[in-house]
Amino acid sequence: MSRIPAPRAEIRPRSAPADGLRAHSDALREHARRLRAGALALDWKGPQAEAFRWRVEDLADRCATAAESLARSADQLDAPAARPR
């Protein structure tokens, strides 16, 4: 059996900048996950602990929001119709 590649029209190459954005997006998602897990694992009690957890959760939310924005930007770079001429 011969392996014949798909016609070029069906192959949509991904751009290196878009791949870089996706890599950063994945890293930020992982940071957010680790921050949340770390905040939950704290044995520290009291008002200062709660304030610290709140700040860590806020930072995790910011990482997740940035990750989504980077992923959306990468998708726009890959979408040929979205590119202005």
Side-chain angles (χ1 to χ4, degrees):
M1 187 184 320
S2 165
R3 294 202 39 104
I4 301 171
R8 288 184 184 247
E10 292 178 20
I11 298 173
R12 195 171 106 202
R14 293 172 67 172
S15 68
D19 288 341
L21 288 174
R22 282 189 187 87
H24 286 297
S25 175
D26 292 343
L28 281 170
R29 280 192 187 99
E30 178 61 16
H31 287 311
R33 187 197 63 75
R34 289 175 54 204
L35 283 165
R36 287 186 175 107
L40 289 173
L42 283 177
D43 288 335
W44 188 17
K45 305 284 183 212
Q48 290 178 333
E50 289 308 310
F52 179 76
R53 283 186 190 92
W54 182 84
R55 292 191 66 164
V56 171
E57 185 62 33
D58 182 55
L59 180 58
D61 288 344
R62 290 170 57 194
C63 287
T65 299
E68 290 303 316
S69 295
L70 288 174
R72 204 169 24 256
S73 294
D75 290 344
Q76 289 174 354
L77 282 174
D78 279 343
R83 292 185 184 152
R85 299 262 173 190

